[in-house]
Amino acid sequence: MQQTLSILKPDTVKKNAIGKVISYLEKGGLTVVAAKMLHLSKEKAEQFYDIHQGKPFFNDLVEFMTSGPVVVMVLEGEDAIMKNREIMGATNPKEAKPGTIRADFAESIDANAVHGSDAEETAKREIAFFFKPDEICSTAAK
């Protein structure tokens, strides 16, 4: 079993599409093992996206991610990172396959509905950024 981080971005929350997006993830074979809604502060968003600091889109990304509440989740399943990325679809919703979250819910490359970890080390770091170990209700045998 593998874990990954998923963020339902402010555009998804604003559209009241939380349950719809989670159903895509669950139908795709992933299990939500931790979840919480929060409003990111500018400082927290800058810390989370620090790998993009200095890039032209950084300030817009931080502004967008702080524009409303988000839902952060830990997803678990076989090959969860890749599976989540397939379910999300391409970053640019115009390039996302029909039936993916971004094809069905994203407005633009910037307001693209969801975030998902891109690798195992990234997932571990991102999960730890938002969740304490005792907040995660893993289904994997311990």
Side-chain angles (χ1 to χ4, degrees):
M1 284 293 177
Q2 186 180 58
Q3 293 180 341
T4 189
L5 185 85
S6 177
I7 302 176
L8 306 187
K9 294 182 177 183
D11 53 328
T12 300
V13 174
K14 187 176 181 179
K15 289 179 190 167
N16 202 25
I18 296 167
K20 291 175 187 163
V21 171
I22 290 173
S23 75
Y24 278 58
L25 300 167
E26 291 177 335
K27 285 177 188 167
L30 298 171
T31 301
V32 178
V33 295
K36 56 183 154 184
M37 182 182 280
L38 49 94
H39 200 133
L40 290 173
S41 66
K42 182 177 186 226
E43 294 75 28
K44 193 116 172 155
E46 287 174 342
Q47 284 178 327
F48 184 75
Y49 287 107
D50 67 346
I51 59 165
H52 297 303
Q53 205 143 22
K55 294 180 181 170
F57 60 85
F58 179 75
N59 290 332
D60 289 340
L61 175 61
V62 168
E63 188 176 323
F64 172 64
M65 291 301 293
T66 59
S67 68
V70 298
V71 175
V72 292
M73 300 181 292
V74 178
L75 305 174
E76 188 172 84
E78 291 294 325
D79 202 19
I81 294 166
M82 287 310 301
K83 194 174 285 186
N84 183 44
R85 296 191 69 76
E86 288 170 15
I87 296 165
M88 287 191 311
T91 303
N92 183 345
K94 291 179 180 154
E95 298 170 4
K97 290 180 183 172
T100 62
I101 293 169
R102 288 181 171 147
D104 293 351
F105 295 98
E107 298 167 17
S108 68
I109 197 165
D110 298 319
N112 64 7
V114 287
H115 164 90
S117 304
D118 61 1
E120 199 155 344
E121 285 306 309
T122 310
K124 288 178 183 172
R125 180 177 51 79
E126 291 180 346
I127 289 168
F129 186 85
F130 288 109
F131 294 95
K132 296 177 191 145
D134 67 349
E135 295 176 311
I136 302 169
C137 301
S138 176
T139 59
K142 297 201 176 196

